[in-house]
Amino acid sequence: MDNKPFSTVEGKGFLQLMKEVCPLYKVPCRETIKNRIDEKYEAMSDLFKTYIKNADNYCITYDIWTETMQTKSFVGITIHFLDKSQLLSGTLGVFELTEHHTSLYITEKLTDIFSEWNISIEKVSAVITDNDSTVMKVNRDMFGEKKIIPCFAHTINLVVTKSIDDANNCTELISKVRDIVKYIKKSVNASDELWKRQMETGSKGQVKKIILDVRTRWNSCLYMLERFLELVSIVGAILLTRPEAPPMVSSSELECVKEMVGLLRPFEKVTKEISGDSYVTVSKVIPLISCVRDAVENMKPRNEIIVQFKNEIKKQLARRFDNIEHSAILAISTTLDPRFKFMQVFGHTPLLRTFSVEEKLINKINK
């Protein structure tokens, strides 16, 4: 349950704890614990295979990644289906890939895994993956074009990262903030001073650390900028006393950062909304895109740099989502979702603009 290694049961501290709690109990060795877990897994997996076999349809998601420390590649697969009216989800496993990631090899690997879990390709109603070209070819070959749903969160990530990359001035500004963050994180003295100055200003119990972004997670860039804005006065004071520190952002650049954060926040809300695992999310894709477009359109940045950034975002949204209502799965899911029978509000933007959107979806479905 806590994802501890098997060797925990042989640790001196754990054995001492068990001796105090239950002196007469003999703690099993790591091999015994491992065998018991394997037996439990076999029993649970057999039960889950029965659920899968009895399901009328299911949705498959999978992703491929490389573990950089050991340079090993893996594919992780999950399955989602209804048992009567209850939504069930399960991780089929994480499997190592030992050959070059060709579409043929990935198809063979998935076929073997599906066979092991009694998964019928005909019962797969949808498959969700990232937008990688090789993965998309696998999806088309195995499931057919109409069953493919590109991962919405991954596509949103591409919209934001590509917009930042194409807006050169924004990239430079983010790099400037990133250099400052890196400097403070690497400097023990600067980090200590950041902590002390927060304590002096009455932030006891609420001392905050600077955040460094991660390239593959666009929202980490937002978190970095938001935290930088929160601590900007203290960070500026720290940099002024250190000649070797990177240059501080100017007041006009600071205004750009604030406006940039305002443009990115709607994407963060959408990413969190679509990341639920205990409720249906596919029907929210079209309404959420409508929300994002409205939110971006309603923002009126004053700085030319952010105006360019806004235009890049609009361009990427159009490129990746202009035909989203043509997806039968998404359109039907949204139209039939009872949550959208009445208007709901996402911030100040209607989740569906008007009933005419539903009419439009129905017309497209009929066509």
Side-chain angles (χ1 to χ4, degrees):
M1 188 176 293
D2 295 329
N3 292 319
K4 300 293 184 184
F6 297 139
S7 58
T8 299
V9 296
E10 297 177 350
K12 291 182 179 179
F14 181 79
L15 291 173
Q16 179 63 32
L17 171 65
M18 294 306 296
K19 186 177 180 180
E20 294 290 335
V21 172
C22 190
L24 300 180
Y25 178 67
K26 183 180 179 181
V27 179
C29 68
R30 61 190 296 175
E31 285 301 320
T32 301
I33 292 291
K34 178 182 179 300
N35 292 335
R36 288 181 182 177
I37 290 177
D38 286 342
E39 291 170 3
K40 184 75 170 179
Y41 170 78
E42 291 299 329
M44 294 298 293
S45 61
D46 287 343
L47 178 62
F48 197 69
K49 285 176 183 177
T50 304
Y51 280 112
I52 293 175
K53 186 177 181 180
N54 294 334
D56 295 327
N57 299 95
Y58 24 75
C59 173
I60 299 291
T61 71
Y62 69 92
D63 190 24
I64 297 173
W65 71 94
T66 300
E67 204 284 297
T68 54
M69 296 296 289
Q70 300 183 28
T71 61
K72 291 183 177 180
S73 295
F74 300 91
V75 56
I77 308 175
T78 65
I79 188 170
H80 315 266
F81 56 91
L82 287 175
D83 178 39
K84 297 179 181 178
S85 60
Q86 183 182 4
L87 177 64
L88 295 182
S89 298
T91 301
L92 300 185
V94 176
F95 307 91
E96 185 176 356
L97 300 176
T98 56
E99 298 181 20
H100 188 61
H101 300 173
T102 63
S103 60
L104 179 60
Y105 172 64
I106 295 172
T107 300
E108 291 175 352
K109 190 71 175 179
L110 291 177
T111 301
D112 291 342
I113 295 168
F114 290 167
S115 176
E116 178 185 347
W117 285 91
N118 300 324
I119 293 175
S120 169
I121 298 293
E122 288 71 27
K123 285 187 177 183
V124 175
S125 56
V127 56
I128 295 86
T129 62
D130 62 22
N131 298 273
D132 180 77
S133 58
T134 303
V135 171
M136 282 299 174
K137 185 179 187 313
V138 172
N139 293 340
R140 284 191 291 270
D141 293 343
M142 289 190 70
F143 308 101
E145 189 73 45
K146 293 183 178 180
K147 293 183 179 181
I148 301 173
I149 303 179
C151 176
F152 180 61
H154 180 255
T155 309
I156 285 290
N157 181 72
L158 293 177
V159 167
V160 176
T161 53
K162 193 72 171 73
S163 299
I164 292 174
D165 290 343
D166 290 349
N168 296 326
N169 291 328
C170 283
T171 305
E172 293 174 6
L173 182 56
I174 293 173
S175 295
K176 194 169 183 179
V177 173
R178 187 182 294 116
D179 290 341
I180 294 172
V181 171
K182 284 181 179 179
Y183 171 79
I184 293 178
K185 289 184 77 71
K186 288 181 179 179
S187 171
V188 176
N189 292 333
S191 297
D192 289 345
E193 188 172 348
L194 179 67
W195 178 80
K196 289 177 183 177
R197 285 178 178 267
Q198 289 186 74
M199 294 291 287
E200 290 170 0
T201 56
S203 300
K204 189 175 182 180
Q206 297 180 352
V207 175
K208 297 178 179 178
K209 294 182 179 180
I210 213 82
I211 296 174
L212 183 63
D213 65 333
V214 179
R215 173 66 184 177
T216 54
R217 296 289 181 269
W218 78 264
N219 45 2
S220 65
C221 178
L222 172 63
Y223 301 150
M224 179 180 72
L225 297 178
E226 285 181 327
R227 183 57 56 84
F228 179 77
L229 290 175
E230 290 181 55
L231 303 174
V232 66
S233 58
I234 299 176
V235 170
I238 293 173
L239 297 183
L240 284 173
T241 60
R242 289 172 166 78
E244 77 283 2
M248 182 59 179
V249 297
S250 64
S251 57
S252 61
E253 289 174 329
L254 196 59
E255 286 301 313
C256 286
V257 173
K258 291 178 181 177
E259 291 187 338
M260 191 185 305
V261 166
L263 274 172
L264 292 176
R265 275 181 181 144
F267 292 93
E268 164 68 1
K269 290 182 180 179
V270 165
T271 302
K272 286 186 175 180
E273 181 67 24
I274 208 68
S275 299
D277 59 359
S278 59
Y279 53 86
V280 175
T281 56
V282 66
S283 57
K284 293 186 175 184
V285 172
I286 292 176
L288 287 175
I289 286 301
S290 176
C291 292
V292 169
R293 281 181 160 151
D294 285 348
V296 171
E297 194 62 46
N298 291 335
M299 291 183 185
K300 309 296 181 185
R302 291 173 292 179
N303 193 288
E304 188 59 35
I305 293 176
I306 307 304
V307 171
Q308 180 193 0
F309 182 45
K310 175 183 173 180
N311 291 334
E312 291 295 338
I313 288 177
K314 290 171 64 176
K315 188 190 303 181
Q316 289 298 320
L317 284 172
R319 176 189 168 191
R320 300 180 188 278
F321 293 114
D322 258 8
N323 295 323
I324 193 170
E325 292 180 11
H326 295 175
S327 168
I329 294 177
L330 298 181
I332 294 172
S333 300
T334 305
T335 306
L336 298 180
D337 194 322
R339 291 175 293 185
F340 303 141
K341 290 297 179 183
F342 300 99
M343 297 294 288
Q344 294 188 13
V345 177
F346 182 84
H348 295 290
T349 307
L351 203 54
L352 285 174
R353 287 192 187 93
T354 61
F355 70 93
S356 63
V357 174
E358 287 189 345
E359 283 186 345
K360 190 195 304 183
L361 291 174
I362 293 170
N363 289 335
K364 288 181 178 179
I365 292 168
N366 290 335
K367 289 179 183 179

